[in-house]
Amino acid sequence: MKKLIYLDNAATTKTAPEVMEAMIPYFTEYYGNPSSVYDFAGISKKALDESRETIANALHAKENEIYFTAGGSEADNWALKATAEAYAAKGKHIITTKIEHHAILHTGEYLEKLGYEVTYLDVDEFGVVKLDQLKKAIRPDTILISVMFANNEIGTIQPIKEIGEIAHEQGILFHTDAVQAFGQVPIDVDEYHIDMLSASGHKLNGPKGIGFLYIRKGVKIRSFVHGGAQERKRRAGTENVPGIVGLGKAVELAVNTMEERTAKEKELRDYLIDRVLKEVPYTRLNGHRTNRLPNNANFSFQFVEGESLLIMLDMDGICGSSGSACTSGSLDPSHVLLAIGLPHEIAHGSLRLTLSAETTKEDIDFVVESIKKIVTKLRSMSPLYEDFIKQN
Ligand SMILES: *Cc1c(COP(=O)(O)O)cnc(C)c1O
């Protein structure tokens, strides 16, 4: 197999070797059920407690505020559905944004069918939530504001502290989907006035199928899975002990390496952005120039079809992602790119590249050359581009 250049770390990441190593004994040796009474099970129980402590410390939260889930989607579903149920007597209005992950958007649509009202806030051209619009959207029956910490497509980081302040001034709960941000930017749930926060293992070099929901003490929230007494009776099911151990290790690594790793990623990200914008004409950067995830670059190439670009990059061994989601044969442009105001045809020519700690300058140089070659080729086959060049 030729060299793989993996630049799709917003989709998932490689499990770190240290994480694998930490997990293995909990498959092979310490397989006890943490709920059992004998000493052997106590080893599993202790591992859960340690992971919970690591995660709580990373957020400046308390251990009993961390609830393990089967990933980010479950945590998002739980936060919205259980809050809606527990606070229905106060009101049935929820505020979120147009650029959330589908785990939030589709849960919102589901709640609308149950009689809740959901306001989807606009964002500006950089993908930032408009705070004045948020303030205006708040009503006496608003029970929850859910705004993602950082966007998975365009990388824009939201003014989370300001949003949290607005929510708390009005006595409204604040949830944030931090699946992309956790491990990449420092988060303090008190400073940011966060009541609930979703995160996922596989987005930060941990295993897939494990994540957590932070729930601030005092928030009324219903059980998500009914059954045994695990997770303080709120999320039943024998714990995914190896996964939880792996998640804890991944969080420890992410926190310990954050400063150095993200500084290096930012430098390479900016190098990539600068070269592409300079060397590929009729190209734009999506998202905020500086206030974005350290590893995210998202471009739109005019007169280029994103899916073709991806396929040709794949032939060069490059893994990226386009802004289009291929649903049942029809190519819908990304809801995020439409929300920042891109016309359909521009949104269709988009490419997201997300770096990792392992990405090198040589990788980026190779990728830029490949993009230049492919974009030139695709444009040479485009009648629209031909007309455009004739007219200019
Ligand atoms: C990946 C992702 C999710 C879903 O997490 P899973 O663990 O894959 O279920 C939710 N929100 C955002 C922003 C994501 O990037």
Side-chain angles (χ1 to χ4, degrees), residues 10 71-73 76 101 103 148 150 152 177 179-180 200 202-203:
S73 300
D76 283 345
H101 189 273
M148 69 198 321
N152 46 302
D177 173 343
V179 172
Q180 290 291 333
S200 177
H202 75 101
K203 301 286 175 79

Side-chain angles (χ1 to χ4, degrees), residues 7 31 55 69 286 333 367:
L7 294 180
Y31 50 80
I55 294 166
T69 65
N286 298 314
V367 169

Side-chain angles (χ1 to χ4, degrees), residues 122-247:
D122 295 318
V123 293
D124 68 14
E125 60 183 309
F126 303 111
V128 182
V129 168
K130 298 170 178 168
L131 296 180
D132 54 333
Q133 198 192 22
L134 167 64
K135 284 182 196 154
K136 281 190 205 127
I138 293 172
R139 316 188 317 206
D141 61 341
T142 306
I143 52 174
L144 177 70
I145 296 171
S146 179
V147 176
M148 69 198 321
F149 206 112
N151 184 265
N152 46 302
E153 290 186 33
I154 56 174
T156 303
I157 298 171
Q158 298 297 336
I160 289 298
K161 188 175 174 176
E162 285 79 359
I163 296 168
E165 273 167 9
I166 292 167
H168 281 190
E169 273 163 19
Q170 305 287 329
I172 299 165
L173 293 175
F174 176 40
H175 166 258
T176 186
D177 173 343
V179 172
Q180 290 291 333
F182 186 54
Q184 294 217 66
V185 288
I187 301 178
D188 181 326
V189 289
D190 288 335
E191 189 189 332
Y192 293 160
H193 308 280
I194 296 166
D195 296 305
M196 286 172 278
L197 175 146
S198 309
S200 177
H202 75 101
K203 301 286 175 79
L204 64 149
N205 304 105
K208 292 170 180 61
I210 188 73
F212 68 87
L213 180 64
Y214 156 79
I215 309 175
R216 182 179 290 281
K217 192 166 182 288
V219 172
K220 272 194 290 182
I221 195 157
R222 300 288 165 85
S223 299
F224 194 61
V225 179
H226 300 274
Q230 293 92 351
E231 300 302 294
R232 289 175 295 287
K233 297 193 183 148
R234 279 161 160 186
R235 202 275 187 182
T238 302
E239 298 88 344
N240 174 1
V241 179
I244 291 169
V245 168
L247 174 63

Side-chain angles (χ1 to χ4, degrees), residues 273 276-285 298-302 371 375 379:
I273 291 173
V276 168
L277 293 183
K278 207 163 89 201
E279 298 175 38
V280 188
Y282 314 115
T283 297
R284 58 165 275 145
L285 175 73
N298 188 311
F299 305 101
S300 290
F301 302 99
Q302 241 180 301
I371 290 174
V375 167
R379 281 178 179 164

Side-chain angles (χ1 to χ4, degrees), residues 52 79-80 89 316:
R52 215 185 290 280
L80 261 62
D316 278 349

